[in-house]
Amino acid sequence: MVAGMRFPILASCYFPATGDDTIAGGIYCIALTDLATYLSKTGNNPGATGTESPRGGGASASPGTGPYPAQAFTDPSLPNHTVFAPKTPPPADVSLPAVAWGNGGCGTDPSTHASFLVEIASHGYVIAADGVAGGKTGASQSMVKDMKASLDWFAQGSGAAKYGNVNASALTAMGHSCGGLESMSSAYHDDRVKRVVLFNIAIFQDQKRYLLQEIKIPVAWFMGGPKDMGYPNAEKDYKLLPAGLPAYKASLDTGHGSTFAAANGGKAAKAAVAYLDWQYRSDDKAKARLLDPKSPGSLVSENWTVEYKNWP
């Protein structure tokens, strides 16, 4: 879910200097009080599930299915965060794109998303996630400054280097729900971020959509179908991005919770890996999975609905 304190309504076409704000999730986010009003009007249930929602007892611990078995690390060089990375640094000729991750609810405990993040890391990515197991950071929610700390850590290089050949020039801001809006806010006016990926979220307030004009990099949404409280807003935001900006939008019938609770992060993790491999490794098979419904293992064949624009 989303944020903590009330966001002052921005004047039309006023672009703040940074994406930070007094509420969790930053300038693109919504205060919890405003969210309650929004949901009362729409009748949307954030806890709704769908035909693709994970069933059963939840995901068991796994090092992921990729070529580099992965795990979670706590790292003194990045306090109040968790690093998800291959257990053993891959060979030096393997470039590891970097991901800064924001949790649902802008929470300070990434455990809910751990299977998903370990799975991505096992395919050769290093992820810096807000918070630590148990949420013992001294804060009830993460803020944009927390994701900015991850961006700084990657950019400085020395702390991340122990995990392998981390490529800080291939840096994605990514998150779920409030954490997704935090990723968009963190990418705002920050040229270090090359891609934004949002799970199950988009801007709630129509009066804030003008801020989309300041997004200068490709955006991808992975949504949970019409029952997902972020779904109708993603439909709006996708249409209002700056002309010519590449964008990708896929939806799977899960409701707001996606497949994070499934083994190895389920279909959401498979989609995320395919998207990142396409973007940062120029992987033609991954690209086909995202764009070509007839491709083996395509998202469409796995019950996603897909729309995209402005890709070469």
Side-chain angles (χ1 to χ4, degrees):
M1 295 277 296
V2 260
M5 298 168 61
R6 178 170 293 276
F7 187 101
I9 295 177
L10 298 175
S12 177
C13 296
Y14 166 67
F15 299 105
T18 73
D20 212 346
D21 196 71
T22 58
I23 63 170
I27 60 172
Y28 291 97
C29 208
I30 187 172
L32 284 175
T33 50
D34 295 333
L35 176 65
T37 300
Y38 172 89
L39 295 179
S40 69
K41 291 179 179 178
T42 63
N44 191 283
N45 175 14
T49 59
T51 58
E52 295 283 346
S53 298
R55 313 293 179 189
S60 57
S62 165
T65 67
Y68 311 107
Q71 69 178 58
F73 298 85
T74 55
D75 192 316
S77 69
L78 186 61
N80 295 326
H81 289 70
T82 301
V83 176
F84 294 85
K87 294 180 179 181
T88 301
D93 62 348
V94 177
S95 177
L96 306 177
V99 177
W101 171 262
N103 306 305
C106 288
T108 58
D109 184 346
S111 299
T112 302
H113 305 94
S115 294
F116 170 83
L117 297 174
V118 166
E119 174 64 18
I120 295 173
S122 77
H123 290 268
Y125 294 87
V126 176
I127 303 163
D130 292 342
V132 293
K136 299 175 182 178
T137 66
S140 59
Q141 288 184 290
S142 65
M143 305 292 284
V144 168
K145 64 181 178 62
D146 296 299
M147 187 170 282
K148 288 287 190 180
S150 295
L151 302 181
D152 293 343
W153 183 74
F154 281 123
Q156 291 160 5
S158 56
K162 66 173 69 70
Y163 301 101
N165 180 20
V166 177
N167 184 1
S169 65
L171 179 52
T172 296
M174 182 164 72
H176 174 233
S177 194
C178 179
L181 294 175
E182 181 183 292
S183 70
M184 185 173 275
S185 296
S186 297
Y188 177 87
H189 292 181
D190 193 327
D191 293 340
R192 298 176 297 182
V193 181
K194 306 306 180 186
R195 299 291 185 272
V196 177
V197 181
L198 300 94
F199 285 86
N200 308 92
I201 205 66
I203 298 171
F204 284 93
Q205 308 98 312
D206 288 339
Q207 69 268 28
K208 292 173 68 172
R209 295 190 200 282
Y210 73 87
L211 289 168
L212 290 165
Q213 297 172 39
E214 293 297 276
I215 299 298
K216 309 299 183 185
I217 55 178
V219 181
W221 286 270
F222 293 94
M223 307 305 296
K227 295 177 183 177
D228 182 357
M229 70 177 184
Y231 180 88
N233 298 313
E235 296 294 297
K236 293 181 180 180
D237 287 0
Y238 178 83
K239 294 179 175 66
L240 293 174
L241 288 174
L245 192 71
Y248 186 86
K249 179 166 60 68
S251 185
L252 185 71
D253 183 29
T254 63
H256 192 59
S258 191
T259 65
F260 300 119
N264 299 307
K267 291 183 179 181
K270 291 170 65 176
V273 170
Y275 182 77
L276 294 171
D277 281 354
W278 167 31
Q279 295 298 300
Y280 293 122
R281 295 193 164 113
S282 300
D283 186 319
D284 288 337
K285 289 184 179 179
K287 179 180 180 180
R289 286 195 63 209
L290 274 290
L291 304 188
D292 181 3
K294 297 181 180 179
S295 173
S298 71
L299 265 64
V300 170
S301 73
E302 295 192 340
N303 299 326
W304 293 84
T305 59
V306 170
E307 187 175 354
Y308 58 90
K309 60 184 178 182
N310 301 322
W311 292 106

